[in-house]
Amino acid sequence: MILVNEPDLGGNELKYLQECIETNWISSEGPFVKRFEANFAQRVGRQHGMAVVNGSVAIDLALEALGIGEGDEVIVPTFTIISPVASIVKLGAKPVLIDSDLGSWNMDVNQIEAKITSKTKAIIVVHIYGLAVNMKPILELAKKHGLKIVEDAAEMHGQECHGKACGSFGDISTFSFYPNKHITTGEGGMIVCDDDELAQKVQSLRNLCFNRERRFKHYELGTNARFTNLQAAVGLAQLERLDEFVERKRKMGTYYLNALQDLQSVHLPTSTTDYCDNIFWVFGLILKKGTSFQTEDVVKQLADKGINTRPFFYPMHQQPVFQKMGLFINEQYPVAEFMAENGFYIPSGLNLTEEQMKTVSEALLEILE
Ligand SMILES: *Cc1c(COP(=O)(O)O)cnc(C)c1O
């Protein structure tokens, strides 16, 4: 079986982990945590880096630290993982959805302004699959309407927009270190920002809102979202190789684009725009309208050949859980619906060999020609 993803743990991971065990530092108080946070924040060009248990909780805490709550509206793409929308709903705020753009697969930035009301507090930018969202128009909108920007950069380690690191644009930005991301810590996430007060809020929220005056006496409610020294050991080693990983992913993307360029029946990822070059977090394909092929059938034929795939995200406005809550009733976002129905991604992990990419490409050509 050729897997959709496998991490590369062949650097200093084992050495740093051994150091944790030998020194007995395995908790969140261990020295690797601060080092990893500092190195990560520096890499993204931010003042503060705060590691947490995963990328979903990172978004929860980011929104809570910004004070998002009941009565607020937050703009977010409908084509995304559920995490950002779940965070909004759990805080009692209202998610306001934006359809996708078929060129970039990101939210269509031209549709944002029409959705801004007097209740809008923030825009969550989710960079999808490898191409960054064009941040320029979003920064302008945020400034014009006094909105906060939250950047979900879970899929964007090492990516840039207008020559600046993804994760450097949000008032607060978040990352995930799940094993399918460019760098992993097994489970894990990071929140970055520049504002000292905001950073302090996040630090308090992730650590049960303990206070300095008297431990175990609380003035606010927080959660335990602390990150361990073991995770930070792996993260530090992974971060050392981020440039190499990004280069490898770009090579993979270029290989697939060349191999599949003659396929008339699919939309391939856009490799470059005037604000960024794709880093191909995953390599997706979308079957075009009017082709005789069915996604389910193509995916099954690939599986029969030992090739692992994953479907695209499922749009937020069609989620049973939100429908049940009375959200997004009768809302339609045709581009996101089309992408979700016809999109899937093929093996695109860091350990993929050229031989495997050849096997995958040839299988696709055979099935789709
Ligand atoms: C992976 C991912 C997350 C969630 O991160 P976890 O660490 O799995 O909780 C959030 N947003 C996006 C865009 C992601 O790709």
Side-chain angles (χ1 to χ4, degrees), residues 54-56 59 81 83 126-127 152 154-155 176-178 181 188 281:
N54 59 56
S56 303
I59 305 169
I81 191 170
S83 312
V126 187
H127 304 287
D152 178 356
E155 304 173 2
S176 162
F177 303 122
Y178 189 70
K181 315 297 185 190
W281 171 60

Side-chain angles (χ1 to χ4, degrees), residues 285-344:
L285 305 169
I286 305 174
L287 293 178
K288 283 187 182 161
K289 277 200 177 91
T291 60
S292 53
F293 304 106
Q294 295 290 315
T295 317
E296 251 174 64
D297 190 41
V298 174
V299 161
K300 189 177 171 305
Q301 287 190 56
L302 286 167
D304 290 343
K305 291 174 184 285
I307 296 165
N308 211 205
T309 59
R310 287 281 184 285
F312 269 16
F313 292 136
Y314 195 87
M316 293 304 114
H317 64 284
Q318 295 183 318
Q319 294 287 352
V321 63
F322 294 138
Q323 292 275 323
K324 211 166 56 185
M325 298 167 97
L327 286 167
F328 318 132
I329 305 294
N330 297 325
E331 291 184 26
Q332 288 180 338
Y333 301 96
V335 180
E337 287 168 27
F338 168 70
M339 285 168 52
E341 261 169 53
N342 300 289
F344 61 94

Side-chain angles (χ1 to χ4, degrees), residues 235-304:
L236 205 58
Q238 289 270 294
L239 188 58
E240 289 169 354
R241 299 174 68 202
L242 178 55
D243 289 334
E244 176 196 335
F245 289 165
V246 168
E247 196 185 315
R248 229 190 282 168
K249 284 273 198 175
R250 283 201 165 122
K251 268 201 187 137
M252 175 205 76
T254 307
Y255 181 97
Y256 276 142
L257 280 176
N258 285 333
L260 304 174
Q261 64 183 343
D262 292 334
L263 280 181
Q264 297 303 311
S265 49
V266 296
H267 296 280
L268 293 171
T270 297
S271 68
T272 180
T273 66
D274 58 4
Y275 53 89
C276 84
D277 298 326
N278 207 323
I279 50 168
F280 303 100
W281 171 60
V282 294
F283 194 96
L285 305 169
I286 305 174
L287 293 178
K288 283 187 182 161
K289 277 200 177 91
T291 60
S292 53
F293 304 106
Q294 295 290 315
T295 317
E296 251 174 64
D297 190 41
V298 174
V299 161
K300 189 177 171 305
Q301 287 190 56
L302 286 167
D304 290 343

